[in-house]
Amino acid sequence: MPELRSGVRRGRDPTVDQRRKTRGRGAKKSEPLVGNYIRTRAAVAKEAAKADAAEIGAKTRPVRPRTRLASRNRAKAPVIVISERDGESGREQFKEVSEKGEGGDRIANPVEEVRAESRRKEMMGDDSGGLSANKAGGQEEEGSTAPFPERVQVGGSPVYKIERKLGKGGFGQVFVGRRVSGGNERTTGPGAMEVALKFEHRSSKGCNYGPPYEWQVYNTLGGSHGVPRVHYKGRQGDYYVMVMDMLGPSLWDTWNSSGQAMSSEMVACIAVESISILEKMHSRGYVHGDVKPENFLLGQPSTPQEKKLFLVDLGLATRWRDSASGQHVEYDQRPDVFRGTVRYASVHAHLGRTASRRDDLESLAYTLIFLHRGRLPWQGYQGDNKSFLVCKKKMATSPEMLCCFCPPPFKQFLEIVVNMKFDEEPNYSKLISLFEGLIGPNPAIRPINTDGAQKIIYQVGQKRGRLTIEEEDDGQPRKKVRLGVPATQWISVYNARMPMKQRYHYNVADARLAQHVERGNDDGLMISCVASCSNLWALIMDAGTGFSSQVYELSPYFLHKEWIMEQWEKNYYISSIAGATNGSSLVVMSKGTQYTQQSYKVSDSFPFKWINKKWREGFHVTSMATAGSRWGIVMSRNAGFSDQVVELDFLYPSEGIHRRWDSGYRITSTAATWDQAALILSVPKRKPGDETQETLRTSQFPSTHVKEKWAKNLYLASLCYGRTVS
């Protein structure tokens, strides 16, 4: 086995594969010394970037106007606040153009553009593991030019001389520290001659509020089963420093040095011991958040700990259990937040859901399959939407397909963990028992020490471990959370209302639309909801809208900006929208709404960051639609909601919907592409007398079901056609 680990921290440089090709003893060199300090490659790179930026700045220096008149004319140039390019529009922006005549038409700084592009390329991730941390985390340490001290003494520790670099992570870098004087021959403990020194710069993201967050986690977990102990910690100069035991190679190093292949027994031993380490960590209220081969390390070679497995890098660990109340943390979803490593992250992590114990186990499943097969189907994706593509592929790859070249326990393990509920307690002994048949009977000759796993089985007993895969502990059939066949269906939402007249039309061609609308208007009905399927329209009209007047437009463009602005000037507001696969749209605008201001955005991906920004400004989502893969979101002020959340999924977010319902939210908007379904759930300021809400997913338009719902005073409130699960 290799003597030293490398690349064992999250957030490694995205071009990992190129570096991995040169791994090995011959490729490792000590960092160059500058005076009494170590000059890092990050410092050299920053100097080169400054030189490049200066050269670019010289070539792109803006031309100043030669006269005051030219300067004034330049200031009066027309400003376009609303652009087709970013797809955002709004009544408030239109008024800024017509009344103020000023805004943000400015030329971007070309130097900053080059730097931003460079950062984007660095952040794209690699073919090996993708991003670690919350996307930008890995760049914090690279930007630091503060030199590392040649010697370190913190928190009452001995003096250590810094030697070779072991690796770097999203927030820190790790070096070998050799004790200058004293010490003993032991390889571990505070008196060891060699230790691992983890440096984190005081300005890094993890140190915004003082010492690194990771210190707090190690205070709780350090020294427990499978987690290395921190002997000393403190600050020296610009760096926070942790002194830890030196460990050996990572599982990635071991896999790579073994010809990128591991035996079934080796991976099975890793599985049972990893589960035992996670069980101990979870029992103390934490989830790791970045389980992957690079974060599992063996003990130092040729020592009694060389077969012992450790889990390191706790910078992304979070609490699944509230430390004060002891209760499970609340469920939430923020689609703009990703934490972990793209290749191994759980689907829930990709979708921005609150981390829980199931996520560590799903990441472990991908780790085990990678170590056994040598590759995962979603490797190789690049670009800005890498996480989107990887998540989509993960959800589309069945356990049977993913584990087709693995022994049966791998598939059984994956099926269990991907179907766990958010707050479900894992049955660790059952998970461990799955792999026992692949492991030799003599623990002394196993490639990995499995003492921790054996303790769990003995403590819990074999009875729980022998439960069949498809049953709960009480013997009842287990309800699957995620497994299912992706399908394209109608999603319909029904609300309890006082008895009223409602009418629906579907498969309506463009030429027939006006006829249905006019007939409904004559009967006192107005459009409450529109949708599209196969370039044909679905139309819901009822007598309970409260609108006083209504206009609509069929347009070959997805949300025709000029027409919408024209109606805004007449005090109409968007009340419903639909988009067709061919890019056309149907926009309905009404008078008599409670809205006081409105804005919309068209985007090639679900624009959660924009939605979140608008939430902070007092807007709420009031309509959604898709046209092909494009999203159109309408947000309004004074929408009548006190809170609002998003549920976004590549299948159908059934668990999330039920959790939101339990918290008082109700679905108020739906939309779906061929890849994703999104539901907006809101808390109304004025609670309805009957809060009953039901949803249906049907392959055909739910005409029969609608009539059945009417009989129970449940009326269609929202409708879309797109990605679900059957």
Side-chain angles (χ1 to χ4, degrees):
M1 292 182 181
E3 292 182 3
L4 295 171
R5 55 193 166 96
S6 60
V8 297
R9 293 292 189 265
R10 57 177 165 72
R12 292 172 293 112
D13 191 294
T15 55
V16 174
D17 273 359
Q18 296 173 11
R19 296 213 321 266
R20 285 175 178 166
K21 292 176 183 175
T22 61
R23 271 191 186 176
R25 299 176 190 176
K28 292 201 179 278
K29 295 182 180 180
S30 298
E31 300 292 343
L33 290 174
V34 181
N36 291 330
Y37 294 91
I38 293 175
R39 189 184 184 201
T40 66
R41 284 175 289 181
V44 176
K46 185 157 187 180
E47 290 173 9
K50 282 183 178 178
D52 292 343
E55 182 180 347
I56 293 169
K59 292 179 180 179
T60 58
R61 190 171 289 113
V63 179
R64 297 176 59 185
R66 296 186 179 182
T67 67
R68 292 183 182 176
L69 179 60
S71 180
R72 284 198 298 269
N73 288 340
R74 187 173 178 178
K76 292 178 181 177
V79 176
I80 299 176
V81 180
I82 308 163
S83 69
E84 293 279 3
R85 183 179 175 187
D86 67 5
E88 181 178 347
S89 187
R91 183 165 185 161
E92 69 274 26
Q93 289 96 334
F94 176 78
K95 287 191 174 179
E96 285 173 8
V97 173
S98 61
E99 295 171 11
K100 296 182 183 178
E102 59 187 38
D105 186 21
R106 57 178 76 144
I107 299 172
N109 183 334
V111 177
E112 288 303 316
E113 285 188 359
V114 171
R115 287 178 181 167
E117 181 62 25
S118 174
R119 284 195 296 270
R120 280 196 296 272
K121 289 180 179 178
E122 290 172 0
M123 296 306 297
M124 282 306 96
D126 64 321
D127 181 44
S128 65
L131 304 179
S132 187
N134 51 351
K135 296 188 179 180
Q139 303 305 307
E140 294 290 339
E141 210 56 49
E142 288 299 305
S144 170
T145 58
F148 291 94
E150 187 177 351
R151 298 189 177 209
V152 166
Q153 185 178 27
V154 291
S157 75
V159 178
Y160 297 102
K161 181 181 179 182
I162 296 180
E163 296 192 344
R164 61 196 175 277
K165 186 176 179 178
L166 291 174
K168 65 182 178 63
F171 304 110
Q173 301 192 48
V174 185
F175 291 86
V176 173
R178 175 169 286 276
R179 189 163 174 159
V180 173
S181 60
N184 53 47
E185 295 301 317
R186 294 186 60 184
T187 56
T188 61
M193 286 296 297
E194 279 194 340
V195 295
L197 302 173
K198 182 168 184 178
F199 290 82
E200 192 161 342
H201 195 270
R202 61 181 175 81
S203 64
S204 76
K205 192 171 183 180
C207 303
N208 287 341
Y209 305 101
Y213 166 75
E214 191 175 19
W215 286 16
Q216 175 185 331
V217 183
Y218 269 111
N219 285 342
T220 304
L221 301 178
S224 66
H225 174 60
V227 178
R229 189 181 299 278
V230 175
H231 301 298
Y232 307 100
K233 56 183 182 293
R235 179 172 166 180
Q236 181 165 327
D238 289 330
Y239 288 96
Y240 291 100
V241 185
M242 279 197 303
V243 181
M244 310 168 68
D245 286 332
M246 269 283 290
L247 297 175
S250 70
L251 289 184
W252 193 95
D253 293 318
T254 305
W255 169 83
N256 201 37
S257 62
S258 305
Q260 300 188 345
M262 282 188 177
S263 66
S264 296
E265 183 182 17
M266 176 72 168
V267 180
C269 288
I270 291 169
V272 299
E273 192 62 11
S274 300
I275 294 168
S276 73
I277 293 172
L278 290 174
E279 188 275 338
K280 183 62 67 175
M281 183 176 289
H282 294 169
S283 71
R284 300 206 177 182
Y286 279 94
V287 292
H288 184 273
D290 198 17
V291 172
K292 59 182 177 180
E294 293 89 337
N295 282 341
F296 281 108
L297 273 60
L298 296 170
Q300 290 192 63
S302 304
T303 70
Q305 290 194 322
E306 67 175 345
K307 290 184 178 181
K308 186 173 173 61
L309 196 63
F310 295 88
L311 181 56
V312 300
D313 200 348
L314 305 182
L316 289 181
T318 56
R319 282 196 171 272
W320 67 265
R321 185 174 59 205
D322 185 85
S323 55
S325 67
Q327 300 297 311
H328 201 290
V329 296
E330 290 294 318
Y331 170 87
D332 197 11
Q333 183 180 17
R334 290 184 53 86
D336 62 332
V337 175
F338 170 76
R339 294 173 70 85
T341 300
V342 170
R343 179 186 293 182
Y344 305 102
S346 72
V347 163
H348 304 292
H350 282 285
L351 293 169
R353 293 185 178 130
T354 306
S356 65
R357 292 167 287 185
R358 65 182 179 182
D359 299 298
D360 279 350
L361 294 170
E362 185 175 339
S363 292
L364 177 60
Y366 298 142
T367 295
L368 299 174
I369 295 166
F370 171 80
L371 292 174
H372 189 271
R373 288 188 55 177
R375 188 169 179 81
L376 293 167
W378 43 83
Q379 287 178 234
Y381 288 114
Q382 298 295 337
D384 291 331
N385 61 341
K386 174 177 178 175
S387 181
F388 172 90
L389 295 172
V390 170
C391 183
K392 178 181 173 182
K393 183 68 173 178
K394 284 177 181 176
M395 297 196 79
T397 305
S398 66
E400 291 80 11
M401 187 183 303
L402 187 56
C403 303
C404 59
F405 298 110
C406 301
F410 289 79
K411 171 178 164 289
Q412 295 169 344
F413 179 74
L414 181 62
E415 283 185 337
I416 291 175
V417 299
V418 300
N419 278 289
M420 288 182 63
K421 298 172 185 175
F422 169 69
D423 54 2
E424 182 177 342
E425 181 178 1
N427 189 336
Y428 300 98
S429 62
K430 177 165 73 172
L431 297 175
I432 287 172
S433 70
L434 294 174
F435 295 94
E436 286 187 314
L438 301 176
I439 299 174
N442 186 356
I445 60 173
R446 290 175 183 171
I448 299 288
N449 185 321
T450 58
D451 289 350
Q454 295 305 312
K455 288 178 183 176
I456 291 178
I457 291 178
Y458 295 147
Q459 288 170 0
V460 178
Q462 290 292 332
K463 182 182 177 184
R464 285 175 62 86
R466 287 175 178 160
L467 289 169
T468 60
I469 302 303
E470 294 297 326
E471 290 183 354
E472 296 280 11
D473 292 357
D474 58 5
Q476 296 299 312
R478 179 185 179 85
K479 184 178 179 180
K480 294 182 176 181
V481 173
R482 202 174 88 199
L483 291 187
V485 180
T488 306
Q489 296 177 317
W490 285 97
I491 302 171
S492 51
V493 182
Y494 305 83
N495 287 345
R497 299 281 297 271
M498 294 295 290
M500 68 174 184
K501 189 173 184 179
Q502 188 175 69
R503 184 179 297 169
Y504 63 82
H505 304 278
Y506 62 96
N507 291 342
V508 178
D510 292 359
R512 298 278 304 226
L513 187 64
Q515 176 183 339
H516 291 302
V517 173
E518 288 171 10
R519 187 178 301 167
N521 291 160
D522 291 342
D523 293 337
L525 307 179
M526 289 198 179
I527 301 170
S528 60
C529 178
V530 289
S532 176
C533 171
S534 303
N535 297 323
L536 297 173
W537 307 104
L539 191 66
I540 311 300
M541 302 187 72
D542 62 56
T545 63
F547 303 146
S548 58
S549 179
Q550 200 168 64
V551 293
Y552 69 90
E553 185 198 46
L554 272 174
S555 170
Y557 309 106
F558 188 42
L559 306 191
H560 183 201
K561 180 175 63 178
E562 286 75 14
W563 183 82
I564 292 173
M565 288 182 171
E566 183 182 325
Q567 302 311 314
W568 273 337
E569 284 301 292
K570 299 175 184 177
N571 290 321
Y572 284 92
Y573 288 90
I574 299 171
S575 55
S576 188
I577 57 174
T581 308
N582 60 15
S584 63
S585 65
L586 171 58
V587 178
V588 182
M589 300 185 70
S590 307
K591 283 185 179 180
T593 70
Q594 56 191 345
Y595 311 142
T596 56
Q597 205 173 18
Q598 206 164 57
S599 180
Y600 77 87
K601 183 176 180 68
V602 173
S603 175
D604 290 331
S605 59
F606 187 78
F608 182 79
K609 287 185 178 179
W610 178 78
I611 292 173
N612 198 36
K613 177 173 84 72
K614 287 294 182 183
W615 278 342
R616 292 194 295 270
E617 296 172 6
F619 289 78
H620 290 94
V621 177
T622 49
S623 296
M624 288 198 305
T626 62
S629 62
R630 303 179 77 200
W631 293 85
I633 312 291
V634 180
M635 300 189 71
S636 310
R637 283 190 194 271
N638 196 33
F641 304 133
S642 60
D643 195 18
Q644 198 168 68
V645 294
V646 168
E647 281 297 322
L648 181 70
D649 206 299
F650 283 88
L651 294 177
Y652 183 76
S654 180
E655 183 191 15
I657 291 170
H658 282 83
R659 289 190 175 277
R660 303 297 194 182
W661 276 345
D662 292 342
S663 300
Y665 291 86
R666 292 296 177 265
I667 300 168
T668 52
S669 294
T670 60
T673 65
W674 300 113
D675 294 320
Q676 289 180 299
L679 294 95
I680 301 294
L681 295 97
S682 311
V683 177
K685 288 182 178 178
R686 296 172 62 182
K687 280 195 172 185
D690 188 344
E691 295 182 297
T692 303
Q693 186 172 75
E694 295 181 7
T695 62
L696 279 178
R697 302 192 306 275
T698 53
S699 299
Q700 304 297 324
F701 186 87
S703 52
T704 305
H705 302 284
V706 170
K707 294 172 183 176
E708 293 172 354
K709 301 294 183 187
W710 285 347
K712 298 187 290 183
N713 287 332
L714 292 170
Y715 295 90
L716 259 173
S718 187
L719 187 69
C720 72
Y721 183 79
R723 171 51 60 94
T724 66
V725 59
S726 61

